[in-house]
Amino acid sequence: MGHRKVKRPFSRLLRDIWESFYDRCRYTLVSLRELFCRPKYLVCFIVSLIFFLYFLTFFRDGNGNWQLLWSGLDFGRKIEMLGRVWLAVGANFTSWYGLAIVLIAVLQATVIMQLVFAWRHRQKNQVIDGASTGGIGAIFGFIALGCPTCGVGLLTPILTTIAGAGAMAMAETFSNVFTILALLLLFYTILKLGYNNFVTISAAAANKTKEEKHATGN
């Protein structure tokens, strides 16, 4: 008689999923702590964060700033306009909408830092996968938060065909959905890259310990 496959209880399945998720979070935090303790990766994170904060804030009210940048304004006025964006970056910390932009920027900067580490350690597949999911998350974040009018403009013609007069309300709902998708994709990318980077860091530490023992003759 063949052995019958025993099905795991649903509660046990949920427990296994939770334990796997918890372990990945723990390993990711360890790898991130290691990266943040290395100056070159910390600088990479800070530079990326500043870039994404500025970029998303630059387009948060639509493409008006972009049009002004390429308009007939004199050079001094354009520099003044670019400078005012920094004030808007600071104002992001005073509203829920702005905090969402900050969160997206932090997650995206974290992904960039992890991708740089993976690339430097020749993790080609991880870089490709991380860049793909992280890039999609960044696009969703830009459509939903960085340039909401752009997102609504892209969605409205499609939704008008489907929903008619209710297209604008649906577009705003989809904008919120895009925000959630962006957060989930970026978080997933961070966990995936974090786990792989943890394996790389652990292997490097083990090899270093082995070499030190070999050098001392132990």
Side-chain angles (χ1 to χ4, degrees):
M1 292 181 61
H3 293 286
R4 297 176 60 183
K5 187 176 181 180
V6 179
K7 294 184 178 180
R8 289 183 297 174
F10 183 69
S11 59
R12 178 58 187 273
L13 178 62
L14 289 178
R15 180 181 176 183
D16 290 344
I17 293 174
W18 166 252
E19 290 179 350
S20 176
F21 173 75
Y22 174 78
D23 287 340
R24 282 188 174 269
C25 289
R26 184 160 54 90
Y27 296 143
T28 296
L29 288 175
V30 172
S31 66
L32 287 177
R33 183 181 62 186
E34 179 68 23
L35 294 185
F36 279 121
C37 288
R38 301 183 184 186
K40 56 188 174 183
Y41 293 110
L42 178 59
V43 170
C44 175
F45 171 81
I46 293 174
V47 172
S48 300
L49 176 61
I50 292 173
F51 170 79
F52 285 111
L53 272 177
Y54 190 90
F55 180 79
L56 292 174
T57 304
F58 184 87
F59 287 100
R60 65 172 291 175
D61 296 321
N63 59 353
N65 286 334
W66 180 258
Q67 292 177 349
L68 287 175
L69 187 62
W70 298 102
S71 66
L73 286 177
D74 59 81
F75 182 75
R77 294 286 297 277
K78 291 179 180 179
I79 294 298
E80 181 182 353
M81 182 269 294
L82 292 175
R84 285 200 301 268
V85 176
W86 288 113
L87 297 177
V89 169
N92 283 334
F93 295 89
T94 62
S95 67
W96 289 111
Y97 185 88
L99 289 175
I101 290 179
V102 173
L103 180 57
I104 290 290
V106 169
L107 294 178
Q108 190 63 51
T110 303
V111 169
I112 295 298
M113 178 183 66
Q114 292 177 304
L115 285 174
V116 171
F117 177 84
W119 176 73
R120 285 176 57 87
H121 290 78
R122 294 178 174 83
Q123 299 177 23
K124 183 178 179 181
N125 293 333
Q126 286 77 14
V127 171
I128 294 175
D129 292 343
S132 300
T133 55
I136 294 172
I139 292 173
F140 282 151
F142 175 73
I143 293 176
L145 297 172
C147 186
T149 56
C150 303
V152 173
L154 290 171
L155 291 172
T156 300
I158 300 173
L159 296 178
T160 299
T161 305
I162 301 173
M168 287 302 296
M170 289 186 64
E172 293 179 0
T173 300
F174 271 89
S175 180
N176 295 330
V177 172
F178 282 159
T179 301
I180 296 173
L181 286 176
L183 293 173
L184 291 176
L185 283 171
L186 290 172
F187 186 66
Y188 167 78
T189 305
I190 289 172
L191 285 182
K192 188 171 183 179
L193 287 171
Y195 177 77
N196 292 327
N197 290 342
F198 171 81
V199 173
T200 300
I201 293 171
S202 299
N207 289 334
K208 183 178 180 180
T209 302
K210 184 177 180 180
E211 291 174 358
E212 290 175 349
K213 289 183 176 180
H214 180 74
T216 58
N218 295 330

